[in-house]
Amino acid sequence: MASSQSTAIRRLMTEYKELTLHAPEGITAGPLSEDNYLVWEALICGPEDTPLEGGVFTAILTFPRDYPLSPPQMRFTTPLYHPNIYPDGRVCISILHAPGEDPNMYESSSERWSPVQSVEKILLSVVSMLAEPNDESPANVDAAKLFRTDRKAYEERVRKNAQESLGL
């Protein structure tokens, strides 16, 4: 095992233990298998007082071998209509963007990934993003447009997502 991979595994084992002991409310996460600490599943409850409230959304986090130097990728496997989630489920949020300057000059380097971040911080940022979409740099243009132009229709569609996430 390469040393960067063993560093990643050690770090992820530590983060998993911490998440198990002190999980933020409405979030559970951990490796899909004890044989592979680089692929995790997260369950995120829809934030209270939002159209997602009551829903439970599943996502996969895939960590690079050089974690924590590089951020993981995150993709929801539960369908989610949201301005900051690509139609294929990939999450578009600053904390998951590679460290350094943003080539599009939209984000400051302090908003992007750094090795001091953690799985818990990522998941809390995603919950915050779910509650308060950023429609200025959308991953899903249709969702952002509906969010801007017809909030009621957007919220109805998102409520439907929440119900469907429970198999209703």
Side-chain angles (χ1 to χ4, degrees), residues 38 61-64 67 70-74 95-97 113 119 122:
L38 297 178
L61 289 127
T62 307
F63 295 88
Y67 180 81
S70 298
Q73 293 181 344
M74 184 171 177
I95 194 172
L96 292 176
H97 295 161
W113 179 256
V119 176
I122 293 166

Side-chain angles (χ1 to χ4, degrees), residues 140-152:
N140 183 328
V141 175
D142 292 339
K145 186 175 176 191
L146 191 60
F147 179 79
R148 262 189 234 123
T149 61
D150 189 347
R151 187 68 57 93
K152 188 174 182 212

Side-chain angles (χ1 to χ4, degrees), residues 1-14:
M1 187 173 353
S3 74
S4 67
Q5 185 172 348
S6 61
T7 300
I9 302 297
R10 277 196 309 276
R11 167 81 179 256
L12 287 167
M13 289 172 90
T14 301

Side-chain angles (χ1 to χ4, degrees), residues 10-152:
R10 277 196 309 276
R11 167 81 179 256
L12 287 167
M13 289 172 90
T14 301
E15 289 193 44
Y16 177 51
K17 182 178 180 186
E18 183 61 26
L19 272 172
T20 306
L21 296 171
H22 308 287
E25 192 174 328
I27 297 172
T28 54
L32 273 175
S33 137
E34 290 193 14
D35 298 334
N36 183 359
Y37 263 79
L38 297 178
V39 180
W40 286 32
E41 180 177 69
L43 297 175
I44 298 174
C45 294
E48 287 184 20
D49 301 323
T50 73
L52 293 169
E53 183 173 9
V56 178
F57 305 92
T58 305
I60 299 295
L61 289 127
T62 307
F63 295 88
R65 293 182 188 284
D66 68 345
Y67 180 81
L69 298 177
S70 298
Q73 293 181 344
M74 184 171 177
R75 186 175 64 79
F76 278 97
T77 55
T78 307
L80 206 46
Y81 188 73
H82 190 282
N84 308 115
I85 299 172
Y86 288 98
D88 70 0
R90 285 178 298 131
V91 175
C92 181
I93 188 171
S94 301
I95 194 172
L96 292 176
H97 295 161
E101 294 302 315
D102 177 8
N104 302 318
M105 308 227 282
Y106 177 73
E107 308 162 325
S108 75
S109 59
S110 65
E111 296 173 304
R112 296 166 71 88
W113 179 256
S114 82
V116 300
Q117 307 291 11
S118 65
V119 176
E120 179 180 1
K121 285 181 183 169
I122 293 166
L123 296 173
L124 289 170
S125 294
V126 168
V127 168
S128 198
M129 173 205 77
L130 291 174
E132 298 175 24
N134 173 0
D135 63 346
E136 290 180 25
S137 67
N140 183 328
V141 175
D142 292 339
K145 186 175 176 191
L146 191 60
F147 179 79
R148 262 189 234 123
T149 61
D150 189 347
R151 187 68 57 93
K152 188 174 182 212

